[in-house]
Amino acid sequence: MSKTLQAVRGMNDILPDEAEIWEQFEEIVRNWLHSYGYRPIRMPLVEPTPLFKRAIGEVTDIVEKEMYSFEDALNGEHLTLRPEGTASCVRAAIQHNLLFSHPRRLYYQGPMFRHERPQKGRYRQFHQVGVEALGFEGPDIDAEHILMCARLWDDLGLDDVKLEINSLGSSEERAVHRAALIAYLEQHQARLDEDGKRRLYTNPLRILDTKNPDLQDIVEGAPKLAEFLGEESIKHFEGVQAVLKDAGLPYRINHRLVRGLDYYNRTVFEWVTTRLGAQGTICAGGRYDGLIAQLGGKPAPAAGFAMGVERLLALWQESGGQAERIVPDVYLVHAGEEAQRAAFRVSEMLRGTGFSVTQHCGGGSFKSQMKRADASGAPFAVVIGDDEAAAGEVSLKPLRDGGEQLRVPMEVLPETLADRLIESEEDDGSI
Ligand code: ATP
Ligand code: MG
């Protein structure tokens, strides 16, 4: 026997019980995004590799070692499965001239791909909900993004999510800080780890983000970017904080928050929880004023963030969030040739009047069909035997409470069913 095939390591199947939770989550997320005036955009999963190299930066974890890149076998084009959405979204906005007349509030969701070591909360195919506000300059939009995240945590009933913010300043300020940082790190060069040595001249800021415990004292003593911020950057950062304070939203300034992608400037933020072990960042984002121009667009400021759906869902479930099982209103059982023809007519009629119906397929005795009806979770079975079919009638059988079985003409079924559903929900106490 040949070995059965398995999914690619780090890429998960989301089975029905779980996928229903995803759908419920997605609905909450969509309503939340619409309530802030964000509009959907959908980009391809595959992009030209240079897009990510230019946007995310050559000396980043993502570009150095996490991208699924390949050559198109037909034309040799260099392609990559998207590791994140901002670069694609900005590419699309430039390509379609979306910023022609006004700024844009956009969102997307879907799978992202990174070749990482799979573990809890870290996968090779994972999902993000991404939000991008293109063409907005002031601290107000940064604050809006942070406040809207707080509202989503609230909508989902999450507690234990903490906000960390920082300012990365402008690129000029970063350049001055960078020179000071390199001079400082050079004094400790011998103690740097391999990543640190390699990044010393290419991306020293990222050394501050190291998780290596042996480097913590070096990192602690390093010149802080905050000390190099100019007046405008300070004002911007204070503008963000003023809104957060007004809203009563607690936050911590984390001077070491630098983010793993090169395109950020000024405000950056992360939402972290201690309840998911090592993979505790559920949402991260910030301002990226240079990116649109860097990708060839007319210069325009922008800011955005992305949430890790798997991590958020783990936290949601941990906090008691769960989906109600989606059940049909009716499971329709039938036996006999005439009855089967009637079954199709009745099912379609019910669906046409707004009910959800699972029609039994695959034959079998009434008894075995009723077992399936029970297992479906439907509150009612509609039963059609040949004698019902001949009389143009159906039987309506309650499955959950001990209510009476009724036999009614087919045409009045929708009305009867509607009444009975309301009654059974009232009995349930669910309305
Ligand atoms: P990390 O430090 O955990 O690797 P990151 O800085 O690489 O995160 P971002 O690129 O900012 O992550 O992506 C935004 C969010 O997407 C993260 O905060 C996280 O919730 C989620 N995320 C990132 N990589 C993965 C992954 N491999 N598996 C699951 N979720 C992920
Ligand atoms: Mg990462």
Side-chain angles (χ1 to χ4, degrees), residues 94-112:
I94 297 169
Q95 183 174 337
H96 304 286
N97 205 12
L98 291 189
L99 294 182
F100 172 62
S101 60
H102 57 90
R104 296 275 187 165
R105 285 179 163 90
L106 302 171
Y107 76 86
Y108 49 82
Q109 49 186 321
M112 306 293 162

Side-chain angles (χ1 to χ4, degrees), residues 330-331 370 373-374 376-382 397-402:
V330 158
Y331 192 96
M370 285 309 294
D374 271 331
S376 75
F380 290 95
V382 166
K397 184 177 163 53
L399 294 173
R400 286 192 314 199
D401 50 35

